[in-house]
Amino acid sequence: KNFTGFNLGKRIGLPWTPAAQPVEVVINGNYRGLYFLTESIRVEEKRVNITELDDLANDPALCSGGYLVELDNYDEDNQIRMEEKTCVGGYTDMLRVTFDTPEEYSELQLRFITDQFTAMNDAVGDCSDVLWSYLDLDDAARYYIVEEIISHVEAYHGSTYLFRNRGEGQKWHFSPLWDCGNAFNGPSDDFFYNHAPYGSTWIASMRANERFNDKVRETWLWFMQNSFNGLYDDIDAYVSHLEEAAKADRRRWEHEPAPDGGLPVCDNTDMQGRKQAVLQHLQAKINWLKTSFGDWNNGTYSEPARDTTPAAE
């Protein structure tokens, strides 16, 4: 699930997507099974490449960025909270913006972030194009397309990151992808956010915005025609790479009790069966999305020009 989501994120050109590598772990000669080593999310030149901002900064010349935040699904001390607004009705949740980098905000930083997210939340609630003065339209469309292709019912509900660099002319970007653990749990014949059990911050209302939908359609046609091909081969190679390790992991843990009263360790020995289930879901979902976003076989599509909406002051 994470492999497929991250692979799509890299292919569609999100600003940065973590790399992940399956590993078998041995500690002092004791085989501990199969795990997945993943790059952590942090501000760094080869990760979230923005100017890092110190905790508790008070210089107005610095406080416009860079910020890395998470749209969270539970209350934390280091976050701002406001009621999520909607222009389409339905379920809404508390909008929780958790501070990642920096971790501690001065009053000036807190005011800046509160003002920024209040403005975006208001624009979402009004289905207003003012949103694109604060939020990068291109990366919002690319991020959404990935989450929709993999039918990720917990997208936009926790583990959803945005960043903003410092300075005038900067906007918030949806990125990086993280935690696609509930991918393929949504339907293959409807939009995932219509089946999200805990809500999906903003996205249903964003889908009521014509500028967003136009960008989604043109990005989809370009992406599917030019950059999607090869995903199925990557999945096949990935499964072949881990197949024997998955069997060894099962042999290691099959008769062990569940840790601390938790769930039994998952049986991943049938990797080919898992692969076929994923491929069938992907193929069905993509065929269905053609009916909404268009068929890339009918024409020639180049990468869409970046949106030029001026950033809010």
Side-chain angles (χ1 to χ4, degrees):
K1 294 178 178 184
N2 278 306
F3 172 81
T4 305
F6 288 179
N7 189 297
L8 287 167
K10 292 177 186 292
R11 287 175 173 275
I12 208 168
L14 284 171
W16 176 71
T17 301
Q21 173 65 44
V23 296
E24 289 180 280
V25 176
V26 179
I27 302 175
N28 295 331
N30 183 3
Y31 179 74
R32 305 293 290 176
L34 179 62
Y35 296 83
F36 296 85
L37 182 66
T38 306
E39 285 184 300
S40 60
I41 294 175
R42 63 173 181 259
V43 174
E44 190 176 276
E45 182 180 357
K46 294 185 178 181
R47 299 194 190 192
V48 180
N49 188 16
I50 58 176
T51 302
E52 189 160 6
L53 179 61
D54 291 337
D55 290 342
L56 303 173
N58 279 303
D59 185 347
L62 303 179
C63 286
S64 62
Y67 294 98
L68 176 64
V69 302
E70 178 188 355
L71 300 187
D72 219 330
N73 53 4
Y74 50 87
D75 292 343
E76 294 276 12
D77 292 335
N78 60 327
Q79 70 183 191
I80 61 169
R81 291 185 285 274
M82 61 187 73
E83 291 290 336
E84 178 192 355
K85 294 190 176 180
T86 176
C87 62
V88 294
Y91 177 83
T92 58
D93 194 8
M94 186 69 68
L95 175 61
R96 301 173 178 88
V97 182
T98 299
F99 319 148
D100 186 297
T101 304
E103 295 181 357
E104 294 185 76
Y105 286 3
S106 66
E107 287 300 317
L108 188 60
Q109 291 170 297
L110 184 63
R111 192 177 78 191
F112 179 79
I113 294 295
T114 301
D115 288 349
Q116 290 276 301
F117 275 86
T118 297
M120 288 191 284
N121 198 35
D122 288 345
V124 167
D126 294 335
C127 199
S128 168
D129 287 340
V130 170
L131 181 62
W132 314 122
S133 299
Y134 293 89
L135 184 65
D136 184 272
L137 175 57
D138 299 277
D139 287 340
R142 293 175 191 223
Y143 188 95
Y144 165 67
I145 287 169
V146 171
E147 299 285 29
E148 191 63 83
I149 287 174
I150 63 175
S151 304
H152 187 199
V153 293
E154 283 202 340
Y156 301 89
H157 179 75
S159 298
T160 300
Y161 286 87
L162 296 97
F163 69 82
R164 186 190 194 279
N165 212 347
R166 180 179 301 160
E168 293 290 342
Q170 298 294 336
K171 298 180 183 181
W172 292 90
H173 298 257
F174 271 108
S175 186
L177 285 164
W178 189 250
D179 189 6
C180 303
N182 279 284
F184 310 113
N185 287 347
S188 59
D189 59 354
D190 197 3
F191 301 114
F192 78 84
Y193 51 82
N194 292 328
H195 303 266
Y198 308 110
S200 302
T201 303
W202 288 353
I203 188 59
S205 293
M206 288 167 61
R207 288 279 288 119
N209 179 278
E210 281 308 306
R211 289 265 316 275
F212 182 69
N213 288 330
D214 288 345
K215 181 62 73 171
V216 166
R217 282 189 287 267
E218 61 179 345
T219 303
W220 159 267
L221 292 168
W222 156 74
F223 172 62
M224 294 303 298
Q225 186 174 83
N226 295 279
S227 299
F228 180 84
N229 287 340
L231 175 69
Y232 296 149
D233 290 339
D234 287 351
I235 292 172
D236 188 60
Y238 187 70
V239 166
S240 296
H241 181 57
L242 341 142
E243 209 162 4
E244 292 306 314
K247 294 174 183 176
D249 181 88
R250 183 59 177 170
R251 289 194 296 271
R252 171 64 178 82
W253 294 109
E254 183 175 10
H255 301 297
E256 296 287 343
D260 299 324
L263 295 173
V265 175
C266 189
D267 180 359
N268 286 310
T269 50
D270 183 16
M271 290 298 294
Q272 291 296 326
R274 296 292 180 92
K275 180 184 75 173
Q276 290 306 316
V278 164
L279 293 179
Q280 288 170 11
H281 192 112
L282 278 171
Q283 290 161 353
K285 185 61 178 282
I286 287 165
N287 286 333
W288 184 82
L289 287 173
K290 278 184 185 179
T291 65
S292 292
F293 300 157
D295 187 346
W296 59 93
N297 295 304
N298 299 327
T300 301
Y301 302 97
S302 57
E303 184 172 4
R306 302 292 294 195
D307 179 55
T308 58
T309 301
E313 294 182 359

